[in-house]
Amino acid sequence: METEVVQTKGFGGSFSLPVENVQALATKNLEDIPSRYIRPEMEFDVVSIDESLEIPVIDMSKLEHDDEQEKLHLACKDWGFFQKLDWGDMLFLIPRPVPQRNMRFWPTTPSPFRETFDKYSMELHKVAIHLLSPKGKNLGTDPERLRSFFEDGTQGIRMNYYPPCAQANKVFGLAPHSDATGLTLLLQVNEIVGLQIKKIGKWVPVKPVPGAIIINIGDMIEIMSNGEYKSIERRAVVNPDKERLSIAAFHHPNRSTEIGPLPDLVKANEAKYRTIPLEEFLRLKLSSKLNG
C-alpha cells in the first residue's frame, strides 16, 4: 500500500502523519473503501435543491461603483462567500512572506512550477488586498486600516485533488469547517461541483463559474467586523465518477495583529468578541478542532 507523509506547518509548529495515498486507492476501483474514510453523518445531511440559492457574483472591475460595493457588502453579510482525513490529497505551501518559504517542499517538476507558483501567489495576494479596502469602507471604518493588517501578512496555498469514489455519498472530500483566516480565495479548477456551504440549515452546492474566483470570509474578518460579516461553514464532497481539483489561498494578517473587533465598530455597539493576539487565536482554533 502506497503511503504519503502529509506535513503541515503553521504558527503553532509542524507535524507529520503517514496516511494512505487516496489517489493510489482510487486507481484500484474499490467497491468498498476503507472504513476510516466512511462518515455516517453524510447520509443524513440535507442538501438544498433550490436552484435560486446561488452565491453572489461580484464584478471586480466595478468595485469603484456604489451599487457593486453594496452587492459586495450584502454578500459578506448574508453569505460570507462570493465568487471571484478526507477523500482527497493535497499539497500545502507557504509562499508569503518570502522568508517563511521552505523550498524543500516546493516541487521541482514540472520545471516552471516554482516560478509560475511564485507569480500566481503574488497575484492572489494583490486580489485579496484589493478587496479589503471596500470591505472597510462598507463597514464604516477607515478603508485602509483593515487592509494594512494583511499587506505584510501570511499566505498559505493548498492544492487539492479529490479522486472519484464509488461510495461518494459516504465520504467527505473535506470535512465541515470554517476557515481560521481573514480571506480565502478559491479557484475551482474543473467543472465538477464539490464545494458546499451551509445556508439556512442546508448544504448549498456552489457551481463553478468559468474564470471566477470564490472569495470566502474567514473567522478573523468576522471577528474584526464584530459579526457584521459572516464566516460560514463549508465542506467538500466527492464525485462517484470524476476527479475534482481546486486551489485555495488563505490570507492571514501579520503576526503582530490582535484579533478583535475594529475600534470604530464598537464605539456605539457592544463588542461581540474579545481581543486576543493572533498566535493565541490560532492556538485556540487548532485546539478546538483537535478536541472536536
Side-chain angles (χ1 to χ4, degrees):
M1 177 68 68
E2 290 188 52
T3 63
E4 63 176 348
V5 175
V6 175
Q7 298 210 5
T8 301
K9 183 175 182 180
F11 294 106
S14 61
F15 58 89
S16 300
L17 293 173
V19 296
E20 291 182 318
N21 187 305
V22 174
Q23 188 172 356
L25 280 174
T27 63
K28 299 179 183 295
N29 296 317
L30 300 175
E31 292 186 7
D32 296 305
I33 64 173
S35 60
R36 66 176 58 88
Y37 295 104
I38 299 295
R39 304 299 290 264
E41 64 268 33
M42 282 285 290
E43 300 187 52
F44 302 100
D45 286 339
V46 178
V47 178
S48 174
I49 57 173
D50 185 350
E51 294 286 337
S52 67
L53 282 177
E54 292 188 359
I55 65 173
V57 177
I58 305 298
D59 188 339
M60 294 281 290
S61 68
K62 298 179 181 178
L63 272 183
E64 300 300 321
H65 301 160
D66 290 344
D67 55 347
E68 202 69 17
Q69 287 204 17
E70 178 65 15
K71 284 175 61 180
L72 173 65
H73 184 53
L74 292 175
C76 295
K77 282 181 60 177
D78 298 339
W79 285 87
F81 265 82
F82 55 94
Q83 293 207 80
K84 192 49 187 135
L85 220 44
D86 300 307
W87 189 260
D89 291 330
M90 64 92 167
L91 172 66
F92 183 83
L93 301 172
I94 296 179
R96 320 201 98 72
V98 173
Q100 286 191 26
R101 293 180 178 182
N102 190 333
M103 300 305 294
R104 70 189 183 97
F105 293 124
W106 286 44
T108 55
T109 56
S111 57
F113 175 85
R114 291 186 173 187
E115 180 181 356
T116 302
F117 184 72
D118 179 49
K119 292 178 180 178
Y120 182 70
S121 68
M122 183 183 300
E123 293 304 315
L124 286 177
H125 179 71
K126 290 178 181 178
V127 172
I129 296 303
H130 181 68
L131 285 167
L132 288 167
S133 289
K135 282 183 172 63
K137 180 180 178 181
N138 289 335
L139 287 168
T141 188
D142 180 358
E144 299 308 310
R145 181 172 176 80
L146 185 60
R147 171 181 178 144
S148 67
F149 294 128
F150 291 85
E151 286 182 328
D152 58 347
T154 300
Q155 179 195 59
I157 296 182
R158 188 180 69 209
M159 287 148 277
N160 307 296
Y161 173 74
Y162 304 106
C165 178
Q167 294 178 289
N169 64 327
K170 295 182 178 181
V171 304
F172 287 129
L174 196 61
H177 65 287
S178 63
D179 286 349
T181 62
L183 283 180
T184 301
L185 277 60
L186 177 72
L187 176 66
Q188 302 200 86
V189 178
N190 57 0
E191 76 285 358
I192 304 303
V193 177
L195 174 64
Q196 295 180 348
I197 61 176
K198 200 74 168 285
K199 183 73 171 175
I200 322 175
K202 297 180 180 180
W203 288 104
V204 179
V206 178
K207 299 176 182 177
V209 176
I213 294 177
I214 293 172
I215 315 295
N216 173 19
I217 300 296
D219 297 344
M220 295 179 188
I221 293 292
E222 175 173 331
I223 294 170
M224 289 177 166
S225 73
N226 201 33
E228 180 77 0
Y229 290 164
K230 308 301 181 187
S231 173
I232 65 174
E233 198 174 9
R234 51 172 291 204
R235 70 180 186 181
V237 298
V238 297
N239 189 283
D241 304 308
K242 297 180 180 180
E243 66 183 9
R244 175 174 174 263
L245 298 94
S246 66
I247 303 174
F250 308 98
H251 295 86
H252 295 259
N254 62 63
R255 287 175 179 257
S256 64
T257 303
E258 293 204 328
I259 305 301
L262 295 173
D264 288 349
L265 304 184
V266 291
K267 289 179 178 177
N269 300 293
E270 182 181 354
K272 297 179 181 179
Y273 309 88
R274 64 190 179 101
T275 298
I276 59 176
L278 173 63
E279 294 200 13
E280 182 181 347
F281 170 82
L282 292 172
R283 282 196 297 269
L284 290 171
K285 185 71 176 182
L286 177 60
S287 176
S288 67
K289 286 185 178 180
L290 292 177
N291 293 327

